[in-house]
Amino acid sequence: MSVASQSNRSRDRRLPVLNVAMVGHAFMGRAHGNAYRQVNRFFDLPMRVVPKVVVGRDRRRVTAAAGKLGFEAASTDLEAVLADPDIHVVDVATPNDSHHAISMQALRANKHVLCEKPLAMTLAQAKEMARLAKRKNVRVGVWHNYRRAPATTLAARTIARGDIGTVLQVRCVYLQDWLSDPKAGWSWRNSKKLAGSGAHGDLNAHLIDLTRALTGLEFEEVCGLQQTFHKRRPAGGGKQKRVDVDDAFCFLAKFKGGAIGTYEATRVAPGRKNYNCIEVSGTEGTIRWNLERMNELEVFSFADRRDTQGFRTVMCMDGVHPYAPHWWPDGHIIGYEHTFVHHVADFVQALAGERPFAPDFDDGVAVQAVLEAAQKSAERGRWVRVS
Ligand SMILES: NC(=O)c1ccc[n+]([C@@H]2O[C@H](COP(=O)([O-])OP(=O)(O)OC[C@H]3O[C@@H](n4cnc5c(N)ncnc54)[C@H](O)[C@@H]3O)[C@@H](O)[C@H]2O)c1
């Protein structure tokens, strides 16, 4: 081992620790676990993040997950984990129906909480979570990680400094195809009781958060349309289970101040794997971002010379771009998992600086209010105000 790496390691050892307990250990468990392991290796932070314990329901599976994801311990006893004063942060990486209960328990135990999206099953639940978080004076966050790609953070910066003028229109789509096949198996994501909604809460939640993060616009009124194309799905052993959530959900939006927006979330768009795209048009230009080319930002500006005007593609992995200098030399691109690392890095910095973190539970409430209004609108067949 070189002298330099030895001294880096001993400096890290002297930092105050931030012990994380993570509940849930599948898809998001892997993404979050990776972020906790990587964050101090790439960001100089005032705290050392320690993936301490994974919490699950099955002893064998949670023990295997702890080993694989790099956590020090495994537990099936959430109460005991929350009673441990050495646990500082609780990460809720479970299906939507448990976000409220686990977060509330963690807040009552005075833990900082990072909760997956959508924050809750209902607006009332989300508000209760936000209220308790404020009373406890702890830091909380929602895992809307797409805000933290270099290109989306740059988009927010350019819109805020007026590069595209006044925002008039936002158009967003989040398209996937994994439920196109009617024989694709039933999961919690197809159940209203476990997920709250389908593509809507899963994908539109991200689009709503991205809109707010990039433009600062607040939703005023929405008009929704939803459809479930495949009403039953195989559930193993020759059985079928009912699907009672949307496969696709579209809505129109009016924002405070007069801008308008269109939204489409679907899991049945053949060929579209994870096409998460936001386009924002202003009086002076347009910016467009698409997760499948996540390091690029497309920019059009009327300020460019008329004879060479057109969309420019900006590669956002240069030393001047958000987060980029923490990784590799210019142009050495990053991927999906890095957005989670950025989320943790910013959360730790907020904690250490006693600064607010966004998106917090108030932002989660704002997203939930739009989701719920759009859902009501789709059910009633008319425009609904966002409360
Ligand atoms: N931020 C993102 O980009 C993103 C992407 C995918 C999913 N999500 C969100 O993350 C959450 C989890 O989704 P996922 O894809 O990881 O799901 P998953 O099905 O892959 O994993 C869920 C995990 O939670 C565990 N679990 C289920 N109920 C539990 C309970 N009551 N107590 C403790 N553990 C429980 C399961 O055993 C499993 O380990 C969802 O809310 C989803 O909306 C976010």
Side-chain angles (χ1 to χ4, degrees):
M1 192 191 298
S2 74
V3 176
S5 64
Q6 260 175 353
S7 73
N8 279 345
R9 189 161 296 180
S10 54
R11 188 205 56 205
D12 269 8
R13 294 271 160 223
R14 286 198 300 272
L15 293 174
V17 294
L18 189 71
N19 290 325
V20 180
M22 183 174 77
V23 193
H25 48 79
F27 177 19
M28 280 307 104
R30 288 173 65 214
H32 301 183
N34 175 67
Y36 299 130
R37 286 196 313 276
Q38 295 300 338
V39 73
N40 285 99
R41 295 178 181 149
F42 289 88
F43 288 77
D44 284 328
L45 296 173
M47 291 170 150
R48 182 163 60 89
V49 178
V50 179
K52 198 75 182 170
V53 54
V54 187
V55 185
R57 293 168 302 174
D58 177 277
R59 163 65 50 194
R60 191 185 54 80
R61 283 193 301 133
V62 74
T63 304
K68 191 161 184 182
L69 303 180
F71 280 73
E72 290 178 11
S75 173
T76 53
D77 187 345
L78 179 60
E79 266 182 42
V81 169
L82 295 180
D84 182 348
D86 283 339
I87 293 298
H88 307 115
V89 177
V90 173
D91 179 349
V92 187
T94 55
N96 309 352
D97 65 321
S98 51
H99 292 181
H100 173 262
I102 298 173
S103 297
M104 292 295 283
Q105 247 183 298
L107 290 171
R108 280 187 205 107
N110 300 307
K111 309 297 182 190
H112 306 295
V113 178
L114 278 170
C115 183
E116 260 303 344
K117 45 54 60 173
L119 181 58
M121 298 285 277
T122 63
L123 180 58
Q125 279 187 348
K127 283 181 173 171
E128 199 184 359
M129 293 158 81
R131 266 197 308 270
L132 185 57
K134 276 204 193 81
R135 272 216 311 278
K136 288 293 183 179
N137 196 25
V138 292
R139 219 71 73 229
V140 291
V142 187
W143 285 98
H144 282 298
N145 50 301
Y146 295 127
R147 285 179 175 227
R148 289 191 158 83
T152 51
T153 307
L154 177 66
R157 191 185 287 173
T158 61
I159 292 171
R161 73 183 177 210
D163 287 12
I164 63 166
T166 304
V167 173
L168 302 178
Q169 281 185 261
V170 184
R171 50 195 82 81
C172 297
V173 296
Y174 200 147
L175 316 176
Q176 299 182 338
D177 72 357
W178 59 283
L179 285 181
S180 297
D181 181 356
K183 294 198 186 69
W186 189 94
S187 74
W188 66 265
R189 287 184 155 83
N190 299 120
S191 157
K192 196 173 175 66
K193 186 163 170 273
L194 302 175
S197 65
H200 188 46
D202 193 16
L203 309 179
N204 274 335
H206 277 308
L207 298 178
I208 295 163
D209 181 71
L210 262 184
T211 300
R212 295 183 71 251
L214 264 58
T215 66
L217 290 172
E218 289 298 349
F219 290 74
E220 187 169 62
E221 226 179 331
V222 288
C223 185
L225 168 68
Q226 62 180 326
Q227 186 57 280
T228 308
F229 300 103
H230 307 296
K231 307 249 181 325
R232 302 184 78 76
R233 289 191 174 275
K239 290 202 182 107
Q240 296 263 317
K241 269 192 171 177
R242 196 160 76 90
V243 175
D244 55 2
V245 297
D246 57 281
D247 288 326
F249 198 115
C250 308
F251 70 94
L252 302 174
K254 293 180 199 167
F255 299 102
K256 289 181 184 149
I260 60 171
T262 61
Y263 293 79
E264 178 186 2
T266 175
R267 295 157 163 177
V268 291
R272 296 298 185 193
K273 302 300 170 185
N274 203 29
Y275 191 86
N276 170 5
C277 181
I278 180 166
E279 185 168 286
V280 183
S281 297
T283 49
E284 309 301 327
T286 292
I287 59 107
R288 182 175 190 276
W289 177 79
N290 160 24
L291 173 67
E292 291 182 354
R293 303 190 69 92
M294 63 166 270
N295 293 301
E296 298 173 359
L297 192 64
E298 290 179 66
V299 184
F300 174 90
S301 173
F302 284 133
D304 290 346
R305 290 176 76 100
R306 181 72 195 273
D307 56 358
T308 49
Q309 264 177 20
F311 272 95
R312 289 181 281 111
T313 302
V314 180
M315 164 57 71
C316 302
M317 283 304 297
D318 186 282
V320 296
H321 292 128
Y323 304 108
H326 293 278
W327 296 101
W328 315 113
D330 292 353
H332 291 62
I333 56 174
I334 58 168
Y336 173 68
E337 70 274 28
H338 296 78
T339 59
F340 295 90
V341 183
H342 301 161
H343 199 88
V344 176
D346 289 345
F347 190 70
V348 172
Q349 262 152 357
L351 270 181
E354 306 207 331
R355 290 195 309 267
F357 174 83
D360 64 9
F361 283 6
D362 285 341
D363 296 299
V365 167
V367 171
Q368 204 83 40
V370 182
L371 288 174
E372 199 161 290
Q375 185 92 49
K376 278 187 189 153
S377 161
E379 284 158 13
R380 297 172 186 173
R382 59 174 174 77
W383 284 87
V384 169
R385 287 191 86 74
V386 178
S387 65

